[in-house]
Amino acid sequence: MFAKELNELKKKDLIRQIISHTSPLRSTITIKGRKYINFSTNDYLGLASHPEVIKALISALRKYAFGTGASRLLAGGSILHEMLEEQISNFKGTESALVFNSGYSANTGIIPVIASDGDVIFSDELNHASIIDGCRLSTARTVIYRHRDMTHLKALIKKGRTGRKIVITDTVFSMDGDIAPLSDICDICTSHDAILYIDDAHGTGVLGNGIGALAHSNIKPEPWIIQMGTFSKALGSFGAFVAGSKDVIKWISNTSRSFIFSTALPSCIISASIAAIKLIKKDRTLIKRLWSNREMLMEGLKGLHYDTMGSETPIIPLRADSIKDALRLSRYLYKKGIYVPAIRPPSVREPRIRITVSAAHTEKHIELLISTLKRFR
Ligand SMILES: *Cc1c(COP(=O)(O)O)cnc(C)c1O
């Protein structure tokens, strides 16, 4: 079964491979007994292996047990879940927040309940797959605007007349590393009385001193802005959150199916997220190091004639002319002990390799990546 379909994928160089490492997640990882410098992780600050995060996880594991046995509404969550929600709303400057089990379940669970019959969603064409799926699950009409194209968004939003209007965008686009023009988007939302829903998965812990994309763009967390983000990227943990006004969060916790019908995250994971936020609040040097590493890599790439596709963040794609070329470059780096994955359709339209740089990389790691890329061309 499915042999024919699989063969079609293979012919197009689109077979994906699950890659498993046998080491802790750090700036280097071991795959099949060989050590690689890892330029593929979204663990931007190296918090996944931070001793404070691990310590918090273990102590909560001892105190609250592991499994949670039920959803939040059936007492599956502990007081730690509430503490994390309070911490997130303080951090983001909103009235309230709610924890979700993953970014994927947040987007697919929230979008259908904030946009429904008669409403119109305006969605950037490069939004994350979980947003696309959230839009598909919503009974609202979805209109796609060209990537970061404000003229296009304005033209489209003018047309929709009845119902609620909801603009949805990634803050940092996960495969391109560019940033949504949030100030312009906010202006458009205000003039058209639209709600803004942002996915700050790659902004939280990275932009605006770690607070996220709104802080980066000097935008106040207005009640008509709903912010979603994850604990699974820069915070090195697992799970997601939505932050916004009291009523919005209350509405989501009463209606969102992925919140209501899913078992609560283990308290030890919540405890790790709490520790991670405390860490970045206490010490911004990690974020500074992330950005200086990013600058160093971009500087090194300058003379090498790669197209970084408008990257503005620690996500740095290098454009490839074809799927084959993307695979060739990724395999070359792999042979040299550097792991940078090739990204192909349907994840992206234009094939590329996707480098993510982190605070945990050393100068040597970055120098080696640059010199290896130099030898490839
Ligand atoms: C990773 C990601 C998600 C999904 O988050 P998970 O916690 O991994 O499910 C959602 N949105 C964006 C933009 C992401 O990059």
Side-chain angles (χ1 to χ4, degrees):
M1 249 196 324
F2 294 109
K4 204 174 125 219
E5 289 86 344
L6 280 169
N7 207 32
E8 283 302 309
L9 283 182
K10 199 168 168 200
K11 269 197 264 168
K12 290 183 208 152
D13 276 321
L14 290 179
I15 289 281
R16 292 157 182 254
Q17 240 168 358
I18 294 174
I19 301 196
S20 309
H21 61 81
T22 52
S23 57
L25 176 66
R26 295 221 169 88
S27 51
T28 60
I29 48 169
T30 306
I31 303 170
K32 290 185 185 152
R34 192 172 167 215
K35 198 164 140 186
Y36 296 86
I37 307 169
N38 182 16
F39 282 103
S40 74
T41 174
N42 302 312
D43 178 28
Y44 297 109
L45 302 173
L47 292 184
S49 55
H50 196 289
E52 293 286 323
V53 173
I54 309 253
K55 201 173 99 191
L57 183 127
I58 290 172
S59 70
L61 178 60
R62 292 227 163 88
K63 187 161 174 195
Y64 292 94
F66 180 52
T68 56
S71 71
R72 293 285 299 286
L73 298 172
L74 300 178
S78 71
I79 196 72
L80 294 184
H81 291 70
E82 266 185 54
M83 280 168 59
L84 178 58
E85 283 160 352
E86 202 176 302
Q87 197 188 27
I88 274 291
S89 56
N90 281 338
F91 192 49
K92 294 280 182 182
T94 59
E95 282 177 1
S96 188
L98 186 70
V99 169
F100 272 78
N101 288 2
S102 73
Y104 188 88
S105 78
N107 281 334
T108 50
I110 296 165
I111 295 169
V113 302
I114 57 168
S116 56
D117 288 349
D119 301 337
V120 187
I121 296 170
F122 300 89
S123 176
D124 187 291
E125 66 177 329
L126 294 191
N127 275 344
H128 191 263
S130 55
I131 293 179
I132 296 172
D133 293 356
C135 294
R136 285 178 182 159
L137 284 171
S138 164
T139 51
R141 191 158 66 88
T142 300
V143 175
I144 311 289
Y145 62 91
R146 284 191 293 270
H147 182 48
R148 294 165 84 227
D149 186 337
M150 293 300 102
T151 315
H152 195 206
L153 173 59
K154 257 188 233 163
L156 292 170
I157 208 168
K158 261 188 209 152
K159 285 191 217 155
R161 296 218 186 277
T162 55
R164 217 181 259 127
K165 295 171 185 167
I166 302 102
V167 176
I168 303 185
T169 185
D170 280 13
T171 56
V172 174
F173 291 87
S174 55
M175 294 296 147
D176 294 66
D178 52 354
I179 303 174
L182 287 176
S183 298
D184 296 340
I185 292 177
C186 280
D187 288 346
I188 295 173
C189 286
T190 330
S191 1
H192 293 89
D193 203 16
I195 294 173
L196 175 61
Y197 179 88
I198 57 170
D199 178 338
D200 210 16
H202 295 275
T204 304
V206 172
L207 294 177
N209 234 343
I211 298 167
L214 286 190
H216 171 81
S217 304
N218 279 316
I219 298 164
K220 276 211 280 267
E222 306 284 353
W224 48 270
I225 304 178
I226 304 171
Q227 310 183 46
M228 168 272 176
T230 64
F231 300 113
S232 51
K233 304 220 157 125
L235 295 170
S237 179
F238 196 84
F241 62 84
V242 58
S245 76
K246 263 204 181 89
D247 282 353
V248 165
I249 300 303
K250 202 167 183 182
W251 172 250
I252 293 170
S253 69
N254 274 277
T255 53
S256 177
R257 295 170 68 82
S258 63
F259 175 77
I260 299 171
F261 298 106
S262 196
T263 301
L265 280 182
S267 291
C268 57
I269 290 174
I270 301 294
S271 175
S273 303
I274 292 174
I277 296 176
K278 276 194 191 142
L279 273 171
I280 60 172
K281 270 173 130 171
K282 194 173 76 186
D283 178 9
R284 309 278 168 151
T285 54
L286 275 176
I287 297 173
K288 285 208 184 94
R289 200 178 317 144
L290 167 66
W291 282 93
S292 65
N293 277 350
R294 192 243 170 215
E295 287 325 305
M296 182 185 171
L297 179 52
M298 286 302 278
E299 203 50 46
L301 286 171
K302 259 185 189 161
L304 302 189
H305 309 293
Y306 285 99
D307 176 359
T308 53
M309 307 180 80
S311 161
E312 302 171 77
T313 63
I315 300 168
I316 307 172
L318 302 183
R319 187 195 298 277
D321 290 334
S322 63
I323 293 172
K324 277 205 162 46
D325 278 355
L327 289 172
R328 208 161 58 84
L329 179 50
S330 174
R331 281 176 193 147
Y332 177 80
L333 292 168
Y334 196 72
K335 252 191 243 151
K336 304 286 176 191
I338 300 171
Y339 181 55
V340 181
I343 313 283
R344 297 166 277 176
S347 303
V348 292
R349 241 180 347 223
E350 301 160 298
R352 68 199 64 183
I353 63 166
R354 175 181 181 267
I355 302 166
T356 47
V357 69
S358 97
H361 287 121
T362 62
E363 280 188 18
K364 261 212 178 103
H365 291 152
I366 295 167
E367 276 163 11
L368 197 69
L369 173 61
I370 294 166
S371 63
T372 311
L373 283 168
K374 200 176 206 161
R375 263 179 283 143
F376 181 74
R377 286 228 159 166

